Amino acid sequence: GLRRDGMIELHFPSDNLVLRRDSPATDLFHFNMAVSLAQYYSNSISDNVKRSFESKRKRGEVTGGILPIGYMYEGEKGHKNAILDPDRAHLIVRIFELYATGSHSMQSVLNEVIELGLRTRSGKHPAKSVIEKILSSTFYYGMAYSRKYDISFPHRYQTLISKDLFARCQEVRQGRKATPSKQSTKEFVLQGILKCHNCGCAMSPEYHKKPSGREYYIYSCTNGKGVCKREYVNENKLLEPIYGVLERFGTISEEVQEILVEELRKSSEAELTFHKKEVARIQKDYNKHIDMKSSLVDLFVAKSITKPDYDKKLQEYSDQIQGLHTQLEQHSNADHDYKTSIGAVLDVARRAKDIFESSEVHEKQAFLKLLLQNPTVNGKELVFELNEPFNYVLELADVSSQKSKTTNISVDRPAWLREWDSNPRPTG
């Protein structure tokens, strides 16, 4: 418009072309042809890029962008490959495993993995939104997603979790979204702990009050899979076998406790020796890589290696050093004071019933999560296993209560307790 009104002139030096208000038709034709060719070139480049990306997707390769946490790039620009991040991959698996139990919120999962060492790429504590993003990413079980083209495709890189574990986490998320946000004023000891033995869905607690004033705390399967018949069971009935186990813990005598602590200490000496050797090995490997990294800098300064080779090796050594440092921290933080630890466990076990009865509801829940493994409700019966080392302590309690000879106590058996129902019987 401004050119036609004679207010401006357009100069294109590379084409030796000037457009004015009175430019001839040939100049305008040349200009329009140049614009059309430029547009054609741009469209052609775009098509080639799309074809290239489509070809990459068919081969299962990611097409750029930031990899989800737990993965990292390896290789030079243009030839990068996605590999597992040795410092974070196992923590991503832990996130899915914890959340799939249905006993953890995203915040409690976040708190645990932060304690285990999860950090963002900038070294900061991740926010809760990071956990939500991780739980929503299909990349971890093998399906990449292109936001630009709105398409999902199977990738060729190593997966961290199974599709089944991912699906169980989504089931937990959807179940919580369907739960009213208004919290119940009543507290349930077994809330968030129990699963249905038949279908694996969560057991939902309810509160009822009779006209007589009598109160009931009952549980039933949520029947999320539509395969169960709703059956109600009283909380007191479910707690009966748990109280039975706690009472059996209380039968351990101080004499038996002292003998067992000494026996376990002796049996742990081999493990302690292995621990010390492992720490020495990792420390030696760590020092070697520090020296290699230092020598690499000297080689680069002396121009004995090229910049690309230097960058590649530097990244490789840095990753290995970080991984070894993490291993050293984990070994250093491990509790190998067996005598003290075992004594504390037995002391707590002996007083377990008193501790449980005097605790608040949220404390009881934390205690039961520490004590019980895979608690489910089969009909009206509670089925569970005890976590280590409480399963070992249970047989000790039976040995103590039966006044067996303490010299025959064995500490080598891998598992003494298997599924205990609401009527557990003494072993042996």
Side-chain angles (χ1 to χ4, degrees), residues 271-329:
E271 185 176 348
L272 183 58
T273 300
F274 171 79
H275 163 76
K276 290 179 178 179
K277 289 182 178 179
E278 190 70 4
V279 169
R281 181 193 64 78
I282 296 172
Q283 184 67 59
K284 182 179 179 181
D285 206 11
Y286 178 82
N287 293 337
K288 183 183 75 173
H289 280 82
I290 291 291
D291 292 340
M292 291 168 63
K293 185 176 180 181
S294 178
S295 299
L296 183 67
V297 175
D298 294 337
L299 290 173
F300 180 66
V301 171
K303 297 184 179 180
S304 298
I305 59 173
T306 63
K307 182 67 164 59
D309 288 341
Y310 169 78
D311 290 340
K312 182 178 180 180
K313 279 294 182 183
L314 181 63
Q315 183 63 51
E316 179 183 331
Y317 291 159
S318 297
D319 290 344
Q320 291 172 341
I321 288 170
Q322 181 59 44
L324 291 168
H325 179 71
T326 301
Q327 290 182 49
L328 277 176
E329 284 186 335

Side-chain angles (χ1 to χ4, degrees), residues 91-317:
L91 297 177
I92 303 302
V93 176
R94 184 66 175 157
I95 288 172
F96 281 93
E97 290 176 341
L98 287 173
Y99 195 78
T101 65
S103 301
H104 287 268
S105 65
M106 290 188 186
Q107 185 62 53
S108 66
V109 170
L110 175 64
N111 294 340
E112 179 157 339
V113 292
I114 285 178
E115 187 174 339
L116 291 173
L118 183 63
R119 301 292 184 270
T120 63
R121 289 183 174 88
S122 60
K124 298 179 180 179
H125 286 182
K128 189 171 73 171
S129 59
V130 173
I131 302 298
E132 183 173 9
K133 186 175 182 180
I134 288 171
L135 292 171
S136 303
S137 177
T138 60
F139 194 96
Y140 295 112
Y141 75 81
M143 291 297 293
Y145 173 72
S146 172
R147 181 176 296 179
K148 182 175 181 179
Y149 299 104
D150 191 25
I151 186 173
S152 294
F153 59 97
H155 65 70
R156 64 180 181 85
Y157 310 109
Q158 185 175 346
T159 58
L160 278 174
I161 63 170
S162 66
K163 187 175 181 180
D164 178 68
L165 178 57
F166 180 86
R168 281 190 279 132
C169 288
Q170 306 319 302
E171 183 180 67
V172 172
R173 292 183 69 199
Q174 293 302 320
R176 287 184 174 169
K177 286 182 180 179
T179 302
S181 59
K182 184 178 179 180
Q183 296 184 350
S184 171
T185 57
K186 299 296 179 182
E187 293 183 299
F188 301 85
V189 174
L190 298 171
Q191 185 171 13
I193 297 176
L194 304 178
K195 297 284 186 180
C196 174
H197 192 80
N198 182 43
C199 70
C201 293
M203 295 293 292
S204 175
E206 298 179 25
Y207 170 77
H208 293 275
K209 187 174 182 180
K210 296 288 186 178
S212 62
R214 189 172 182 179
E215 297 179 317
Y216 293 89
Y217 295 81
I218 59 177
Y219 294 77
S220 64
C221 176
T222 55
N223 196 25
K225 298 179 181 179
V227 297
C228 288
K229 180 181 179 181
R230 176 151 297 202
E231 190 171 9
Y232 294 95
V233 56
N234 194 290
E235 183 176 84
N236 290 333
K237 180 173 178 57
L238 295 174
L239 287 173
E240 284 178 2
I242 296 175
Y243 274 109
V245 169
L246 299 183
E247 289 172 354
R248 290 165 66 190
F249 284 154
T251 63
I252 302 173
S253 67
E254 291 186 16
E255 180 184 5
V256 171
Q257 176 178 330
E258 291 175 2
I259 293 174
L260 185 74
V261 167
E262 182 61 24
E263 290 295 320
L264 288 176
R265 184 194 65 76
K266 292 177 182 178
S267 70
S268 300
E269 288 178 355
E271 185 176 348
L272 183 58
T273 300
F274 171 79
H275 163 76
K276 290 179 178 179
K277 289 182 178 179
E278 190 70 4
V279 169
R281 181 193 64 78
I282 296 172
Q283 184 67 59
K284 182 179 179 181
D285 206 11
Y286 178 82
N287 293 337
K288 183 183 75 173
H289 280 82
I290 291 291
D291 292 340
M292 291 168 63
K293 185 176 180 181
S294 178
S295 299
L296 183 67
V297 175
D298 294 337
L299 290 173
F300 180 66
V301 171
K303 297 184 179 180
S304 298
I305 59 173
T306 63
K307 182 67 164 59
D309 288 341
Y310 169 78
D311 290 340
K312 182 178 180 180
K313 279 294 182 183
L314 181 63
Q315 183 63 51
E316 179 183 331
Y317 291 159

Side-chain angles (χ1 to χ4, degrees), residues 189-190 193 235 238-240 242-243 246 348-349 351-369 371-372:
V189 174
L190 298 171
I193 297 176
E235 183 176 84
L238 295 174
L239 287 173
E240 284 178 2
I242 296 175
Y243 274 109
L246 299 183
V348 169
R351 299 182 295 112
K353 184 180 179 183
D354 292 337
I355 293 173
F356 185 76
E357 290 180 333
S358 62
S359 299
E360 299 292 335
V361 170
H362 70 280
E363 294 172 330
K364 290 181 178 179
Q365 291 175 338
F367 184 87
L368 292 177
K369 289 177 183 179
L371 179 69
L372 306 181

Side-chain angles (χ1 to χ4, degrees), residues 248-257 350 393-406 409:
R248 290 165 66 190
F249 284 154
T251 63
I252 302 173
S253 67
E254 291 186 16
E255 180 184 5
V256 171
Q257 176 178 330
R350 290 176 59 204
V393 175
L394 189 67
E395 181 165 330
L396 173 63
D398 293 335
V399 170
S400 182
S401 64
Q402 295 166 16
K403 303 184 184 299
S404 297
K405 293 182 179 180
T406 56
I409 296 175

